[in-house]
Amino acid sequence: MARRTFFSFHYLPDVWRAMNVRKCLKFMPEEAVDGFFDNSVFEASKRESEASLKAFLRDGMKSSSVTCVLSGARTSERRWVRYEIVRAILKGNGLLTIDIDGVKNEGGYVADKGRDPLSCVGLYKTDNGMFFAEVSNGEWIKYGDYTSAVPATCLWFDPPSSASVIPLSAHCMRYDFATQNGQQNIAGWIETAAGLAGR
């Protein structure tokens, strides 16, 4: 079953790599393609306000059932990638990371392996509810772009039981496109993420 998949990535350094990953199934024999629908939007840099950018990203994710973070050297630090990760959880999407540092860019170069973006966003419990946290300067802080309590009904995994932050990477799979034969396996990885989320 094909999944409508939203791809999140750091645009400027990784767009070439991301495009090659997102379009890889076009070059496989038709009978071998389980496939996925591409429902991505690029990070928009020229919007009237932060609110309009957030609305733009939410709209881009509307029909997706899986969010796939394509991770390069600095993706984990990107504000809007983190926002897309948070929105994926609130939407109940399947969620996974695929490292793309080993995919050559237009100049033929690979990149340094970055930190898993899903290890930089997490959840914790307080007396007032459950909240998102993010890593800043090596420390967990309350996530700033969505400060409301997170409904437990959004989660497809066990909610945190204490004030200790549980990173989303504890619940989601991480793969490497270059070393794990991503062209052959990406559809299966996406399907696994959908299955974990009950989508």
Side-chain angles (χ1 to χ4, degrees):
M1 177 180 182
R3 299 289 178 177
R4 290 201 175 273
T5 304
F6 180 93
F7 291 90
S8 178
F9 57 94
H10 184 183
Y11 186 87
L12 190 58
D14 292 328
V15 63
W16 185 274
R17 296 181 177 97
M19 288 299 294
N20 279 298
V21 170
R22 294 164 71 235
K23 301 301 183 185
C24 70
L25 295 183
K26 291 174 68 173
F27 305 105
M28 294 177 64
E30 186 175 340
E31 63 274 11
V33 176
D34 288 330
F36 52 84
F37 293 103
D38 183 0
N39 194 45
S40 296
V41 294
F42 293 125
E43 178 178 323
S45 59
K46 296 180 181 179
R47 296 282 156 185
E48 294 178 6
S49 66
E50 290 183 358
S52 65
L53 177 53
K54 289 178 180 179
F56 173 78
L57 295 173
R58 289 195 303 272
D59 187 63
M61 298 178 77
K62 266 184 184 176
S63 62
S64 65
S65 60
V66 175
T67 297
C68 179
V69 182
L70 300 177
S71 181
R74 307 287 298 272
T75 309
S76 65
E77 303 167 17
R78 300 298 293 170
R79 176 183 179 184
W80 298 116
V81 169
R82 291 184 179 188
Y83 184 74
E84 290 161 350
I85 290 168
V86 165
R87 294 309 310 186
I89 293 296
L90 293 171
K91 190 175 180 298
N93 272 15
L95 185 60
L96 72 156
T97 298
I98 298 178
D99 291 314
I100 60 170
D101 52 281
V103 178
K104 292 180 180 179
N105 65 8
E106 65 271 33
Y109 296 102
V110 298
D112 294 330
K113 192 173 210 64
R115 185 174 181 180
D116 184 352
L118 301 184
S119 73
C120 297
V121 180
L123 288 161
Y124 65 100
K125 181 183 176 183
T126 73
D127 291 339
N128 298 316
M130 182 171 49
F131 296 91
F132 285 110
E134 64 180 325
V135 172
S136 177
N137 296 319
E139 303 289 335
W140 285 108
I141 63 170
K142 185 174 183 180
Y143 180 68
D145 282 312
Y146 185 89
T147 57
S148 300
V150 180
T153 54
C154 292
L155 305 184
W156 43 266
F157 49 82
D158 292 335
S161 58
S162 72
S164 295
V165 177
I166 305 298
L168 297 179
S169 57
H171 307 289
C172 305
M173 301 297 291
R174 182 184 190 184
Y175 305 94
D176 188 292
F177 191 85
T179 65
Q180 294 180 279
N181 195 6
Q183 182 167 334
Q184 293 292 328
N185 294 321
I186 187 170
W189 297 341
I190 289 170
E191 185 63 27
T192 295
L196 289 172
R199 300 298 297 261

